Amino acid sequence: METFYFTLGVLSIFAIIFIVALVWGLVKVVRTKKDLKELESSYLREMEYSQRRLDDQRRELDITLDHIHRRIEEVHQDSKSHTDKRADQLIQILDKSKS
């Protein structure tokens, strides 16, 4: 009978250890799941922020490029106008020298 109670005591200790390990494992799983959801949420926020910044920079670059193209066109037109003016003056000088 003593052996029976001894065996029962050892088995109950093993059962308690098993239950504690099981609860500890479940707590770790729940915490890990919670941490994973927080990480996913943080990652999504960072991706959205990065996408917004990229879109803003793309818009800013487009505006800058449009401004550069307009300025190049203005300079080209000014240069063309100045060249035409100088050519007209040269033609007038040549006409005067012929006369």
Side-chain angles (χ1 to χ4, degrees):
M1 196 67 162
E2 243 176 70
T3 308
F4 175 73
Y5 288 123
F6 177 75
T7 307
L8 189 60
V10 170
L11 288 176
S12 64
I13 289 174
F14 282 141
I16 290 172
I17 291 172
F18 177 75
I19 290 172
V20 167
L22 184 66
V23 169
W24 180 77
L26 288 175
V27 167
K28 288 295 266 184
V29 167
V30 169
R31 283 185 184 168
T32 304
K33 188 176 178 181
K34 180 182 174 189
D35 291 344
L36 185 61
K37 283 190 181 217
E38 288 175 5
L39 180 64
E40 180 183 13
S41 174
S42 174
Y43 174 76
L44 289 175
R45 279 193 308 270
E46 284 295 321
M47 288 300 294
E48 288 172 4
Y49 175 72
S50 296
Q51 187 63 40
R52 279 195 307 272
R53 282 190 57 205
L54 182 63
D55 291 342
D56 291 345
Q57 289 174 350
R58 209 175 268 149
R59 262 191 303 277
E60 187 177 322
L61 180 62
D62 287 343
I63 290 169
T64 303
L65 285 174
D66 288 343
H67 176 42
I68 289 171
H69 287 301
R70 279 195 306 272
R71 184 67 183 132
I72 288 172
E73 189 61 34
E74 288 173 7
V75 169
H76 180 259
Q77 290 298 328
D78 289 346
S79 174
K80 194 174 175 182
S81 174
H82 182 72
T83 303
D84 287 345
K85 181 180 173 186
R86 297 299 286 174
D88 289 342
Q89 288 176 351
L90 181 62
I91 289 172
Q92 286 176 358
I93 290 172
L94 290 175
D95 284 344
K96 283 184 184 179
S97 68
K98 284 184 183 178
S99 317

